[in-house]
Amino acid sequence: GAGVSQSPSNKVTEKGKDVELRCDPISGHTALYWYRQSLGQGLEFLIYFQGNSAPDKSGLPSDRFSAERTGGSVSTLTIQRTQQEDSAVYLCASSFSGSQNLYGYTFGSGTRLTVV
Amino acid sequence: AQKITQTQPGMFVQEKEAVTLDCTYDTSDQSYGLFWYKQPSSGEMIFLIYQGSYDEQNATEGRYSLNFQKARKSANLVISASQLGDSAMYFCAMRGLNYGGSQGNLIFGKGTKLSVKP
């Protein structure tokens, strides 16, 4: 597609419920990243996918968080048993990798998650 | 470990004037890239400008320029002729260029909120 698409744009969920956030990256981008941005804060790295390699999960804050990327394209970030501190904007980004990636990432518009 | 520091939580500038947003960084990488992103109230992250660590000249993109001082590890963003539409959060970021994986992630500063006054 023309840009990185994220859905839903807004999600309100009850504490304890599971949520799934979707990211559709730019066609041809082999790298996909998830970041979290809490209110008034910078971006916190969560997870990184590169081609068919095992994902780098070093930024996931707890085992309630997981992510998949199917067929090297669409990615789903799942948060189980949501807590109020999970409320944030979840941003997805994609890019070319290696020497091709000189200009950073293209970000989606994010999913604003509110846990009540 | 890499670190980005933006010491100005908020800045005000008069319309049509220039403004400098500060960014300092820390890294042990020999080769790296520095980025600035703009985040308006709509929430999207907009790429503005890029500077490679081995680039001899400061990067420029229209009204944006990057004042790169490698020895001081600073990469300040200069916006000339500010416009009302420049009001937004601005994030400085960096990544190593030699490899992918977690060490090649973009690391972000906490941002500077710029407000342009008419």
Side-chain angles (χ1 to χ4, degrees):
Chain A
V4 178
S5 177
Q6 291 188 247
S7 61
S9 55
N10 282 285
K11 176 71 175 179
V12 179
T13 190
E14 293 181 352
K15 179 181 174 181
K17 294 287 180 74
D18 298 350
V19 294
E20 286 189 350
L21 312 180
R22 176 187 168 104
C23 174
D24 197 345
I26 290 174
S27 177
H29 280 187
T30 55
L32 186 148
Y33 303 78
W34 284 96
Y35 285 83
R36 178 171 70 174
Q37 186 177 27
S38 301
L39 185 63
Q41 300 296 312
L43 275 69
E44 174 190 6
F45 165 71
L46 296 178
I47 189 170
Y48 160 65
F49 294 90
Q50 172 55 55
N52 295 322
S53 302
D56 178 353
K57 306 177 182 180
S58 61
L60 295 178
S62 78
D63 58 8
R64 295 186 295 105
F65 288 72
S66 63
E68 291 183 339
R69 188 178 186 191
T70 55
S73 181
V74 173
S75 177
T76 301
L77 177 68
T78 301
I79 309 173
Q80 295 178 311
R81 305 181 302 282
T82 52
Q83 304 294 314
Q84 288 185 331
E85 60 263 30
D86 299 335
S87 296
V89 175
Y90 290 80
L91 288 162
C92 176
S94 70
S95 74
F96 293 112
S97 62
S99 61
Q100 294 173 297
N101 180 20
L102 297 180
Y103 300 105
Y105 308 165
T106 301
F107 283 84
S109 297
T111 294
R112 183 177 297 279
L113 176 65
T114 304
V115 182
V116 297
Chain B
Q2 296 176 334
K3 184 179 180 181
I4 294 284
T5 302
Q6 295 181 254
T7 57
Q8 305 154 313
M11 290 277 288
F12 288 91
V13 64
Q14 199 69 38
E15 190 179 11
K16 300 181 184 178
E17 292 186 350
V19 63
T20 297
L21 306 183
D22 294 341
C23 172
T24 57
Y25 61 92
D26 192 15
T27 181
S28 56
D29 290 335
Q30 295 299 312
S31 180
Y32 51 88
L34 295 156
F35 304 81
W36 278 91
Y37 280 84
K38 172 184 179 182
Q39 188 179 43
S41 56
S42 60
E44 63 184 308
M45 296 286 285
I46 302 168
F47 166 73
L48 294 179
I49 194 167
Y50 165 85
Q51 178 84 43
S53 59
Y54 286 104
D55 292 341
E56 295 185 352
Q57 292 190 337
N58 287 341
T60 60
E61 287 288 346
R63 294 186 299 111
Y64 304 109
S65 60
L66 200 152
N67 183 2
F68 180 47
Q69 299 186 42
K70 191 171 182 178
R72 297 180 59 186
K73 293 189 175 180
S74 74
N76 298 340
L77 177 70
V78 180
I79 305 174
S80 63
S82 297
Q83 302 173 355
L84 296 178
D86 294 335
S87 294
M89 285 289 291
Y90 289 81
F91 291 96
C92 181
M94 72 175 296
R95 69 170 276 171
L97 290 180
N98 293 328
Y99 40 71
S102 63
Q103 293 167 312
N105 286 336
L106 274 179
I107 306 298
F108 287 85
K110 293 189 180 297
T112 295
K113 184 175 182 179
L114 178 66
S115 299
V116 180
K117 299 186 289 185

